[in-house]
Amino acid sequence: MTTTTMTAGAVPQDDKKMGEESLAPQQTRIMDPWSYLFAWLGGCVSIGTFTVGSGLVGTLNLLQTVVAITIGCTVIGVALMINGRAGHKYGIPFMVQARAAFGFSGTRLPALVRSVPAIVWYGFQSWIGAGALNLVSETMFGYSNIWVFFIGFQFLQIGLSVLGFHGIKWLENIGAVFIVGALIYMFFSVIDQYGAQISANLIETEGTWGAPFWGGTMLFLGVYSTMMLNVSDYSRELQHRVGSVRQVVIYANSILPATLFMGLIGLMVSSATGEVDPIKVFSSAVDNPILLVVTLLFIAFAQVTTNILNNVVPPAYAMMDVFKLSFKSAAVIVGLLAFATFPWLLVRDESAAGLGLFIRTYSAFLGPIFAILVVDYYVIRRQTLNLDHHYDAEGPYRGWNPAAVIATVVGVIVALIFSGISWYASLIPAGVTYWLLMRHLPSAQRFRA
């Protein structure tokens, strides 16, 4: 690493107390390999995966779905390691990493692409979690008020989020055992309840190994494609001694169980009942009130672990960068903004088309930005960063980089044309365009105020 006299923003953070997150290079690494694995396991138990599994009914059989999930999770693991390398090596977060490619002003583009869906999903999943708690209350005490539980649930998450990565570490470590146990129970209870229908609809059906199969791998990959952008926010917390191969193993083996169980549960239940709402599914599938309560508490808890890791940290860091806020203030604002997403409208059946359009639109940006970050770090910078430049707003990365913006636009166009495999299709066009422009643009024209 080449450094001279570091600017104030680049002073390494040698110690970090509860909730005192910083954009400065992270020297204190609070995550050992097991803590990191548990954090990703808890953060990836997503209701979105359940929905993706439900959407494959009539397209893939059970074996094809398992293979599609395995391929998708392996690609995810490799991609996370590749883009998280800069964060792990230098201790810098996503917003700082992106400055080399997009410039200080230009980072608002990847920040927006990562933050907006995070806040929307934060609100959406909070409403799902509140619905689960409301049903628990109705089952046990006869009291039902979704608004009380939603507001209370949201403020609980805000309180947990301001604890930062120390809070994330202990929340995910404690929750991992409960999550794994609940997933196993839900999986086998579904098989026990709907075994005959599952056999007829999924095991004995032919399915396809063609384009729809590869589209299926893309769907499961797409659930985590946002995290591929800001993975440095997490990898900077992982101990230095954990090498690249071991990182891939951690990512794949934390994401795979959560995705496999949730995806298959969604596929099996929807194929047997036609129902896609997870709360309705389990309220009808579980006959024992005690087990129903446990299942619903799992759904609520899973929303907390996913939101705190995946949907608070990225927009909070973006606000810290753009508005110069503290992490605690940014985390509170993110939680309050989730109310403004009107999740009670997003969960309606008639909102499904609009929500799907929103997902396809922001997903078109994810592959191109990922490709640009990877090409910039490995090809342009050759894995060597000058941290002085990354923290000097008047230095060589000032303003915005036209090459990154043009390459993003090229990748987005390709992604929209090949929407079924948008993430895959956009990588090469965006990456090659960025490389060619950076190679042929004079240094003086690469960044503009």
Side-chain angles (χ1 to χ4, degrees):
M1 180 178 70
T2 303
T3 59
T4 52
T5 57
M6 282 191 173
T7 59
V11 175
Q13 190 180 24
D14 295 320
D15 191 20
K16 181 171 64 174
K17 297 181 175 61
M18 190 81 74
E20 293 185 356
E21 308 302 328
S22 167
L23 299 182
Q26 180 68 46
Q27 298 301 318
T28 302
R29 304 298 176 95
I30 66 171
M31 296 279 193
D32 60 33
W34 283 106
S35 294
Y36 201 61
L37 185 146
F38 289 151
W40 280 89
L41 174 62
C44 292
V45 182
S46 171
I47 293 299
T49 311
F50 181 99
T51 306
V52 169
S54 300
L56 293 178
V57 174
T59 303
L60 304 183
N61 61 33
L62 194 60
L63 174 62
Q64 291 158 350
T65 303
V66 170
V67 176
I69 292 174
T70 303
I71 291 174
C73 289
T74 302
V75 173
I76 293 165
V78 174
L80 288 170
M81 181 277 295
I82 290 173
N83 197 35
R85 186 77 176 270
H88 185 247
K89 180 178 180 180
Y90 290 98
I92 56 176
F94 163 61
M95 291 300 297
V96 175
Q97 176 189 356
R99 290 170 182 170
F102 287 87
F104 271 74
S105 299
T107 54
R108 286 169 172 76
L109 173 60
L112 186 68
V113 170
R114 183 61 185 95
S115 298
V116 170
I119 294 172
V120 171
W121 286 118
Y122 189 1
F124 183 88
Q125 295 189 163
S126 296
W127 187 264
I128 296 293
L133 292 177
N134 187 59
L135 188 53
V136 169
S137 175
E138 187 176 359
T139 302
M140 296 183 67
F141 311 111
Y143 176 77
S144 176
N145 191 322
I146 182 65
W147 287 100
V148 169
F149 285 101
F150 175 59
I151 295 172
F153 191 60
Q154 191 64 5
F155 279 104
L156 169 65
Q157 293 181 106
I158 291 174
L160 291 172
S161 66
V162 299
L163 300 177
F165 271 93
H166 281 289
I168 289 172
K169 175 182 177 179
W170 294 111
L171 175 68
E172 306 289 6
N173 283 1
I174 294 170
V177 176
F178 175 57
I179 286 173
V180 171
L183 281 173
I184 293 173
Y185 159 71
M186 290 163 65
F187 180 77
F188 285 105
S189 66
V190 166
I191 292 177
D192 182 64
Q193 184 86 359
Y194 301 113
Q197 297 96 315
I198 292 170
S199 178
N201 297 339
L202 294 177
I203 298 177
E204 298 174 7
T205 190
E206 183 177 352
T208 176
W209 295 96
F213 168 79
W214 292 103
T217 70
M218 172 66 211
L219 288 174
F220 289 106
L221 184 151
V223 174
Y224 307 106
S225 54
T226 51
M227 290 184 288
M228 294 179 195
L229 293 189
N230 72 297
V231 60
S232 286
D233 292 342
Y234 316 120
S235 63
R236 70 196 291 245
E237 304 289 345
L238 179 63
Q239 293 175 347
H240 283 291
R241 62 185 174 85
V242 184
S244 298
V245 174
R246 197 174 181 188
Q247 288 179 47
V248 174
V249 173
I250 290 173
Y251 289 130
N253 285 282
S254 56
I255 295 172
L256 181 59
T259 307
L260 197 62
F261 278 113
M262 290 297 285
L264 290 181
I265 289 170
L267 177 74
M268 292 189 298
V269 173
S270 296
S271 70
T273 67
E275 182 60 68
V276 297
D277 185 329
I279 296 178
K280 292 180 180 178
V281 164
F282 293 110
S283 61
S284 60
V286 180
D287 298 327
N288 188 312
I290 296 177
L291 296 180
L292 172 62
V293 168
V294 172
T295 303
L296 292 172
L297 288 175
F298 160 77
I299 293 175
F301 185 75
Q303 306 322 298
V304 175
T305 57
T306 301
N307 277 338
I308 300 302
L309 183 71
N310 300 339
N311 297 328
V312 173
V313 172
Y317 277 173
M319 288 183 180
M320 290 169 66
D321 183 47
V322 176
F323 301 110
K324 312 308 176 189
L325 300 174
S326 69
F327 177 79
K328 292 180 180 179
S329 297
V332 171
I333 293 173
V334 170
L336 296 177
L337 285 175
F339 284 108
T341 63
F342 306 106
W344 50 91
L345 300 179
L346 296 177
V347 297
R348 293 178 179 177
D349 291 340
E350 57 267 29
S351 301
L355 190 60
L357 177 62
F358 169 71
I359 294 171
R360 289 193 297 274
T361 301
Y362 81 71
S363 294
F365 288 82
L366 300 176
I369 293 176
F370 172 85
I372 290 167
L373 293 176
V374 170
V375 169
D376 186 82
Y377 182 65
Y378 288 92
V379 180
I380 306 298
R381 316 293 166 192
R382 299 185 184 277
Q383 301 185 61
T384 301
L385 302 181
N386 185 322
L387 291 191
D388 279 345
H389 295 169
H390 281 262
Y391 288 91
D392 184 1
E394 300 302 321
Y397 302 150
R398 67 188 180 278
W400 61 283
N401 185 3
V405 175
I406 294 170
T408 300
V409 172
V410 170
V412 168
I413 292 172
V414 174
L416 293 175
I417 293 173
F418 301 96
S419 59
I421 52 171
S422 59
W423 193 85
Y424 292 124
S426 66
L427 295 180
I428 293 178
V432 170
T433 300
Y434 179 73
W435 175 72
L436 289 174
L437 289 173
M438 289 294 286
R439 184 179 180 184
H440 294 290
L441 272 177
S443 298
Q445 297 181 17
R446 289 181 181 177
F447 291 87
R448 300 178 182 179

